[in-house]
């Protein structure tokens, strides 16, 4: 072994710790990403092969041709995220504060659906929402759905499917941030004559923001790229950008367009997250997280 | 690869640009089997003008096919790749028992193009794909032949090939069956639930009937759906041009915009049909026989205008490690007794003669089924897929992808 000065060794030590992580990132993130960036700038066709030509027009063509699916993806994902938040917040709140000895059971119930394959869970909803199913019959009885109306193969079904499938991603981070809150802060607020609502608004909610932020990201990002729900619960009129990318990659073998679409989606998501972080107040978030 | 490196591509391109003999024509001649047995020279002349180059390269392909020699070796461990639920697994067991070795049977093909995408890179860079038999539909089989991805079959090892039904003895992309051997055939027609539609469905036009708005499912594969629509409009789909096909896709698009179609499907239309979500589906004949046993209200009709006939073909991928095992299996399933077992299980149209006679004894009900053994007047109206060049095929796929929203 080389004898290194103490200072030198000190400066190398952090790299030793970061090393495996960096290697992992390089192997499984940067290299594939660079490879796909290269593919997205190629032209050609599946028979003669593709060659790198700096074809930036693929990007503009892809946006103009598939803007409908892009907007739909962002819209569906945003709607599902908001719905997840509305459903998951009371769930997480109850689990953190009121569940008592049932807390672990509640947590288990939240993650239980993950024990089953994602596709199977979605297929199950095909049966639940089917035209001759119990759910639709009851909705018809109540008059929420017309006699000729349907649930399956509609926008409602797709958004509901996404909401259902991503709910745990919202509920778990929310639970963690709520559970971490020092109860004495809430008691203090009440001691200072804050009503329960004010205490919630001024203490609990701000302290839960990191959980809301993390949950929203974990829901929104995969939901944007999802294609399973649209494929199984929707029609071609509900297809999202993930369906386009899948068919371009797998059926049509148009790799450049598929890669370009993926990068466009990624940049949309990054911009969206940036705006979202600004809205919630990034400083607030990092501070609260500490 | 450069074109001169793939002689098969050249002949097939010639065939594509020539005027392919239609399947209907061939089917019409089932009685006069001699005509369809005529082989390559007659076939090429039927295509109209054959240029010198193609004759030389076709002889090259013929030479390659003639030169093929897969000596008898122990079967060993080998791989057979097929579609799901496309064989009675007992057949595999008895094959292992009779010939030794062990077949690894993988049900990994759910979609021709998806499977092709999976193995394409290896094939195009000349690496073996570690599968000894693959089963692909006509248009994909044609593409593999065009690109030189298929090993010739050593017919000495497949004497039972003589049991191949007359109407499949020759096909536009492989006139002598030097590289492909049919696995099963089926028709694309109208699957419907009579308790919902309230009447028999007989015509392609019924798919577009506004009375069934939102209750119809269409196949996403344009080879199946667009060509069926063309048949409905009285066009001989086996000779369809790209423009005609794009026209049919437009027609599908228009109806879809109006909400006529509930979904575009692959094999998954069966769930929608059995659950009553869809009343009429563009469907594959074999599926409906299986579904009928659960729900007698489900029916299948060959459209009166005619139906597309698909054949899935066994092929040995280029540089496969166990061609002799593959050929032994091909020979085995072409034994009518074995084929009858497969037919009883999969309910598609068997490509082997003598199956109907065997089934008349063991399962007379099945032997009478018109979906498995189409009567003569139906056979006359079964059409083969049109031959498209790779570029046209891609244009068709892209146009259809826009309609199906992906």
């Amino acid at each position: 072994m080389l004898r290194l000065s103490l200072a030198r060794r000190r400066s190398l030590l952090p790299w030793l710790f970061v090393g495996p992580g960096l290697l992992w990132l390089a192997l499984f993130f940067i290299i594939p990403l660079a490879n796909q960036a290269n593919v997205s700038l190629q032209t050609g066709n599946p028979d003669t092969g593709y060659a790198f030509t700096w074809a930036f027009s693929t990007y503009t063509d892809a946006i103009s041709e598939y803007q409908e699916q892009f907007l739909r993806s962002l819209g569906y994902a945003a709607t599902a995220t908001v719905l997840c938040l509305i459903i998951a917040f009371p769930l997480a709140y109850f689990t953190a504060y009121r569940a008592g000895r049932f807390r672990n059971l509640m947590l288990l119930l939240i993650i239980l659906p993950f024990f089953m394959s994602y596709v199977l869970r979605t297929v199950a909803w095909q049966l639940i929402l089917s035209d001759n199913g119990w759910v639709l019959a009851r909705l018809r009885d109540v008059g929420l759905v017309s006699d000729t109306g349907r649930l399956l193969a509609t926008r409602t079904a797709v958004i509901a499917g996404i909401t259902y499938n991503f709910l745990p991603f919202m509920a778990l981070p929310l639970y963690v941030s709520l559970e971490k809150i020092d109860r004495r802060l809430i008691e203090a607020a009440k001691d200072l004559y804050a009503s329960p609502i004010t205490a919630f608004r001024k203490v609990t909610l701000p302290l839960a923001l990191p959980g809301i932020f993390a949950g929203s990201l974990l829901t929104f990002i995969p939901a944007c790229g999802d294609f399973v729900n649209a494929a199984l619960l929707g029609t071609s009129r509900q297809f999202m950008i993930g369906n386009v990318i899948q068919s371009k990659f797998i059926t049509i073998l148009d790799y450049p367009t598929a890669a370009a679409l993926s990068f466009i989606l990624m940049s949309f998501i990054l911009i969206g997250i940036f705006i979202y972080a600004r809205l919630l107040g990034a400083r607030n978030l990092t501070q609260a997280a500490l | 690869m450069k074109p001169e490196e793939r002689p098969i591509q050249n002949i097939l391109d010639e065939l594509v640009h020539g005027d392919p003999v239609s399947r209907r024509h061939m089917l019409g001649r089932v009685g006069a089997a001699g005509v369809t047995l005529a082989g390559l020279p007659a076939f090429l002349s039927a295509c109209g003008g054959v240029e010198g180059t193609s004759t030389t390269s076709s002889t090259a392909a013929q030479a390659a096919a003639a030169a093929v020699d897969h000596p008898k070796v122990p079967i060993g461990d080998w791989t057979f790749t097929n579609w799901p639920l496309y064989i009675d697994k007992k057949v595999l067991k008895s094959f292992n028992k009779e010939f030794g070795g062990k077949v690894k049977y993988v049900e990994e093909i759910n979609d021709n193009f998806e499977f092709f995408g999976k193995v394409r890179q290896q094939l195009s860079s000349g690496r073996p794909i570690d599968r000894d038999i693959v089963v692909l539909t006509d248009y994909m089989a044609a593409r593999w032949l065009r690109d030189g991805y298929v090993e010739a079959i050593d017919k000495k090892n497949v004497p039972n090939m003589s049991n191949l039904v007359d109407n499949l003895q020759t096909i536009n992309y492989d006139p002598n069956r030097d590289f492909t051997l049919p696995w099963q055939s089926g028709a694309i027609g109208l699957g419907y639930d009579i308790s919902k539609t309230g009447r028999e469905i007989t015509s392609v036009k019924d798919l577009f009937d506004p009375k069934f708005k939102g209750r119809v499912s269409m196949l996403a594969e344009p080879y199946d759906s667009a060509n069926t629509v063309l048949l409905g409009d009285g066009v001989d789909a086996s000779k369809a041009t790209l423009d005609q096909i794009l026209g049919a896709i437009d027609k599908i698009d228009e109806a879809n915009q109006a909400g006529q179609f509930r979904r575009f499907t692959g094999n998954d239309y069966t769930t929608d049909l059995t659950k009553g979500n869809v009343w009429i589906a563009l469907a594959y004949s074999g599926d409906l026989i299986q579904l009928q046993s659960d729900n007698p209200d489900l029916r299948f009709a060959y459209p009166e205008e005619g139906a597309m006939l698909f054949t899935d073909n066994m092929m040995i991928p280029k540089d496969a490690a166990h061609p002799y095992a593959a050929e032994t299996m091909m020979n085995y399933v072409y034994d009518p007794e074995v084929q009858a077992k497969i037919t009883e299980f999969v309910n598609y149209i068997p490509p082997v003669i003598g199956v109907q006679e065997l089934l008349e004894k063991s399962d007379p009900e099945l032997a009478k089924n018109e979906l498995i053994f189409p009567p003569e007047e139906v056979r006359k109206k079964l059409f083969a897929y049109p031959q498209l060049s790779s570029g046209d095929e891609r244009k068709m796929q892209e146009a259809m992808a826009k309609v199906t929203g992906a």
Side-chain angles (χ1 to χ4, degrees):
Chain A
M1 265 295 279
L2 280 166
R3 287 188 73 92
L4 297 170
S5 71
L6 184 67
R8 191 70 192 283
R9 261 185 282 165
R10 281 225 171 115
S11 71
L12 280 178
L13 196 62
W15 289 104
L16 204 65
F17 286 126
V18 180
L22 281 184
L23 192 71
W24 192 88
L25 263 186
L27 269 182
F28 298 112
F29 184 67
I30 297 173
I31 293 175
L33 206 65
N35 171 279
Q36 285 306 298
N38 176 298
V39 168
S40 73
L41 295 173
Q42 295 178 353
T43 45
N45 66 56
D47 299 310
T48 54
Y50 294 98
F52 188 80
T53 54
W54 291 108
F56 283 107
S57 60
T58 311
Y59 281 79
T60 47
D61 291 350
I63 292 184
S64 60
E65 198 164 332
Y66 295 106
Q67 53 176 329
E68 188 189 332
Q69 282 88 349
F70 269 119
L71 291 176
R72 198 179 280 145
S73 296
L74 298 174
Y76 284 11
T79 316
T81 307
V82 171
L83 287 172
C84 275
L85 185 61
I86 295 172
I87 299 168
F89 201 94
L91 186 66
Y93 191 87
F94 180 83
T95 312
Y97 293 152
R98 304 286 143 118
R101 63 198 172 92
F102 295 111
R103 186 189 284 179
N104 286 337
L105 180 70
M106 289 286 293
L107 284 175
L108 178 71
L109 288 179
I110 291 173
I111 58 165
L112 201 58
F114 280 136
F115 285 51
M116 202 170 111
S117 138
Y118 179 37
V119 175
L120 273 183
R121 268 182 282 150
T122 313
V123 169
W125 278 98
Q126 272 188 337
L127 303 185
I128 296 169
L129 299 179
S130 97
D131 289 20
N132 299 323
W134 185 87
V135 174
L136 194 67
R138 294 297 80 77
L139 287 174
R140 277 182 185 146
D141 291 347
V142 184
L144 278 174
V145 174
S146 74
D147 281 351
T148 53
R150 65 185 196 215
L151 269 180
L152 194 58
T154 63
R155 188 173 56 190
T156 315
V158 177
I159 294 177
I162 298 174
T163 308
Y164 160 77
N165 276 311
F166 290 104
L167 191 67
F169 289 107
M170 180 67 93
L172 293 176
L174 274 179
Y175 164 79
V176 171
S177 69
L178 284 171
E179 206 262 341
K180 256 193 343 200
I181 295 174
D182 190 339
R183 305 300 156 79
R184 288 171 303 183
L185 291 174
I186 302 168
E187 283 164 23
K190 285 181 181 159
D191 287 347
L192 294 168
Y193 298 104
S195 69
I197 292 173
T198 314
F200 176 80
R201 201 163 49 85
K202 297 245 169 168
V203 180
T204 315
L205 197 59
L207 288 174
L209 267 188
I212 297 177
F213 184 69
S216 306
L217 293 193
L218 285 177
T219 310
F220 182 76
I221 297 172
C224 269
D226 183 76
F227 63 93
V228 173
N229 287 286
L232 294 178
L233 303 176
T235 72
S236 59
R237 289 179 297 282
Q238 279 84 42
F239 275 8
M240 297 164 68
I241 200 66
N243 302 83
V244 179
I245 295 174
Q246 191 224 17
S247 117
K248 287 272 176 203
F249 259 121
I250 290 178
T251 324
I252 301 178
L253 308 181
D254 180 357
Y255 305 128
T257 307
L261 287 169
S262 309
F263 276 101
I264 297 166
L265 178 65
M266 199 155 71
S267 53
F268 278 180
I269 292 175
L270 283 176
I271 294 169
I273 292 172
F274 182 71
I275 297 171
Y276 183 59
R278 287 306 281 267
L279 283 178
L280 281 185
R283 189 171 300 164
N284 243 340
L285 284 173
T286 43
Q287 272 176 359
L290 298 171
Chain B
M1 261 199 261
K2 290 186 215 97
E4 57 264 31
E5 284 172 6
R6 21 180 214 199
I8 305 154
Q9 157 122 41
N10 295 349
I11 34 165
L12 283 157
D13 276 353
E14 289 299 323
L15 291 175
V16 169
H17 298 303
D19 178 18
V21 175
S22 83
R23 182 76 68 85
R24 180 166 67 156
H25 252 87
M26 294 186 179
L27 289 167
R29 292 181 199 149
V30 166
V35 182
T36 51
L37 282 164
L40 186 63
F43 180 82
L44 286 178
S45 56
C47 293
V50 177
E51 285 164 32
T53 48
S54 90
T55 320
T56 39
S57 46
S58 76
T59 40
Q62 272 185 313
V68 65
D69 181 32
H70 295 142
K72 188 170 173 188
V73 290
I75 299 292
D77 289 356
W78 64 287
T79 308
F80 185 166
T81 289
N82 206 341
W83 299 65
L85 301 177
Y86 220 15
I87 197 171
D88 185 340
K89 296 242 169 94
K90 281 188 224 116
V91 170
L92 299 169
K93 279 197 193 118
S94 53
F95 179 85
N96 284 342
K97 204 186 265 173
E98 193 163 329
F99 297 95
K102 191 169 189 322
V103 52
K104 185 176 157 205
Y105 185 80
V106 194
E107 298 181 317
E108 65 172 329
I109 308 176
N110 282 301
D111 179 295
N112 283 291
F113 289 91
E114 200 179 307
F115 179 72
F116 182 50
K118 201 160 145 184
V119 295
R120 202 184 129 260
Q121 297 244 312
Q122 281 160 284
L123 288 169
S124 64
S125 59
R127 279 174 291 152
I129 61 168
D130 300 330
R131 294 165 180 87
D132 300 299
I133 296 184
V134 297
V135 177
L136 295 169
T137 311
D138 288 324
Y139 45 86
M140 187 51 73
R143 183 168 183 168
W144 282 44
L145 276 181
R146 214 154 54 206
D147 293 345
Y149 296 157
V150 191
E151 251 347 286
I153 297 171
D154 186 347
K155 293 182 185 172
K156 291 191 300 294
N157 295 331
V158 195
N160 284 344
M161 226 169 147
S162 58
N163 293 334
L164 177 59
V165 290
D166 289 335
N167 64 307
L168 292 177
Q169 294 265 354
T170 178
I171 191 147
N172 40 22
Y173 56 85
D174 186 15
N176 281 341
R177 290 288 181 194
D178 288 326
F179 300 89
T180 62
L181 193 57
W183 172 255
Q184 298 291 309
S185 299
I188 293 147
L190 308 160
Y192 58 100
D193 185 336
I194 188 124
S195 70
K196 297 276 170 39
T197 58
R199 66 173 169 88
E200 300 284 355
I201 300 301
T202 54
S203 160
V204 175
K205 295 187 178 68
D206 291 328
L207 294 167
F208 295 89
D209 187 338
K211 267 207 306 262
F212 305 127
K213 187 180 159 189
R215 298 295 185 179
V216 182
S217 77
M218 203 39 146
L219 290 169
E221 173 51 57
Y223 268 115
D224 297 337
S225 51
N227 285 320
T228 300
V229 169
L230 281 180
L231 289 178
D233 290 342
V235 178
D236 176 350
S238 64
K239 293 182 185 154
T241 62
L242 177 67
D243 283 341
Q244 287 175 316
I245 292 174
L246 293 179
I249 292 176
D250 277 345
K251 186 173 172 181
I252 295 171
D253 187 26
E254 215 170 281
N256 184 44
Q257 300 285 348
Q260 178 72 12
F261 302 126
R262 169 113 168 190
R263 285 182 73 208
F264 288 94
T265 68
N267 283 309
D268 49 334
Y269 66 86
T270 51
T271 321
D272 278 328
L273 199 57
T274 44
K275 294 286 160 208
N277 298 330
V278 152
W279 297 353
I280 311 176
L282 195 57
Y284 300 112
S285 56
D287 290 346
L288 260 289
I289 303 176
Q290 298 175 4
L291 296 176
Q292 272 166 348
S293 54
D294 295 334
N295 180 353
D297 284 334
L298 294 181
R299 311 242 165 125
F300 179 90
Y302 294 105
E304 60 195 15
E305 298 96 338
M308 298 306 294
L309 175 78
F310 69 85
T311 301
D312 294 332
N313 304 276
M314 294 184 277
M315 299 190 290
I316 306 175
K318 195 84 196 150
D319 301 322
H322 308 97
Y324 178 74
E327 283 152 359
T328 311
M329 175 57 94
M330 289 177 177
N331 193 52
Y332 186 63
V333 296
Y334 265 65
D335 176 340
E337 296 270 357
V338 177
Q339 185 66 218
K341 281 190 201 117
I342 298 177
T343 302
E344 272 183 283
F345 184 86
V346 304
N347 301 153
Y348 274 97
I349 304 173
V352 176
I353 51 177
V355 173
Q356 192 166 18
E357 290 73 9
L358 283 170
L359 284 179
E360 267 160 13
K361 286 175 219 142
S362 62
D363 191 345
E365 199 62 34
L366 213 57
K368 269 186 285 180
N369 196 315
E370 294 197 346
L371 302 191
I372 300 176
F373 303 102
E376 192 52 36
E377 67 271 19
V378 170
R379 278 183 185 269
K380 279 184 193 146
K381 288 198 280 184
L382 292 176
F383 292 77
Y385 290 117
Q387 287 252 297
L388 298 177
S389 69
S390 301
D392 284 356
E393 183 177 274
R394 194 165 51 247
K395 283 182 198 134
M396 169 180 83
Q397 296 285 358
E398 281 168 1
M400 191 66 186
K402 284 205 183 94
V403 176
T404 59

